[in-house]
Amino acid sequence: MDKFMERAVELALENILSGGQPFGAVLVKDNKIIAEGVNELHKSYDVSGHAELLAIRRAQQELKTNDLSGYTIYASGEPCPMCLSAMYFAGIEKAFYCQPVENAFEVGLERSKIIYAELQKPKAERLLSMVQIPLNEGQENPMKLWKSKLTKKDNDKSSRV
Ligand SMILES: [Zn+2]
């Protein structure tokens, strides 16, 4: 096994010993670990406290950038849809994982597999009801306002939003 994946699995094992879920992740660039994370749901009331997201958040805060293109994630467990989305937003193009969501499902960590299945369904058939409420007639349009204020500089900063 690759040394970075070994570290991700080691983090997952350590996290279990401290009462957490079996997930660890490392963010790598140029053959170096830039940030690490473990699942912290046992420590904080924050559903975004997943290993991959925390590694991404730490790197972005440290490097003061939203652009992590060229970085690679090594995750002990297959990333959930939330962490996968964060990778897309951050421009990460490669992720390795060790244990697939099916393995997590088998031990009672069911959400990732369920959400992946949800995303395959048409909106109307999903468990989470999502209903559009359009703008009022004549109400200021946030999208159009943003577009009208867009400058070159803003464009560079917001291109992944
Ligand atoms: Zn996740």
Side-chain angles (χ1 to χ4, degrees):
M1 181 187 280
D2 177 284
K3 66 178 174 180
F4 297 124
M5 188 58 81
E6 259 177 25
R7 177 62 184 152
V9 172
E10 181 181 60
L11 286 167
L13 294 170
E14 285 172 10
N15 201 43
I16 299 162
L17 296 181
S18 70
Q21 293 185 13
F23 300 106
V26 296
L27 186 65
V28 172
K29 189 172 190 196
D30 299 331
N31 212 31
K32 274 203 326 237
I33 294 178
I34 306 299
E36 295 183 341
V38 294
N39 185 297
E40 294 190 358
L41 294 191
H42 61 302
K43 287 189 188 164
S44 59
Y45 294 103
D46 175 5
V47 293
S48 73
H50 284 193
E52 305 92 313
L53 250 171
L54 292 176
I56 288 170
R57 191 177 292 154
R58 281 174 193 136
Q60 293 193 320
Q61 283 168 356
E62 178 79 20
L63 303 163
K64 309 242 180 298
T65 181
N66 285 325
D67 181 7
L68 295 178
S69 50
Y71 288 71
T72 303
I73 285 259
Y74 292 77
S76 68
E78 183 175 351
C80 76
M82 173 174 68
C83 293
L84 179 67
S85 298
M87 291 178 211
Y88 273 99
F89 279 113
I92 293 171
E93 288 160 1
K94 188 147 202 176
F96 295 96
Y97 65 91
C98 181
Q99 299 193 280
V101 291
E102 288 75 15
N103 285 176
F105 189 86
E106 284 159 15
V107 298
L109 298 163
E110 301 170 330
R111 293 254 169 96
S112 287
K113 187 165 182 256
I114 291 171
I115 298 168
Y116 272 121
E118 282 282 292
L119 293 174
Q120 309 262 339
K121 297 181 193 166
K123 273 186 218 170
E125 291 173 24
R126 292 180 192 158
L127 296 170
L128 191 154
S129 161
M130 210 165 80
V131 181
Q132 191 208 359
I133 301 175
L135 290 172
N136 292 327
E137 188 93 19
Q139 195 172 5
E140 188 160 39
N141 183 320
M143 300 290 181
K144 286 190 174 161
L145 178 65
W146 181 81
K147 177 83 175 155
S148 73
K149 292 197 179 242
L150 197 60
T151 63
K152 176 70 178 81
K153 187 167 153 263
D154 290 337
N155 194 14
D156 292 344
K157 248 169 62 182
S158 327
S159 59
R160 288 215 170 75
V161 170

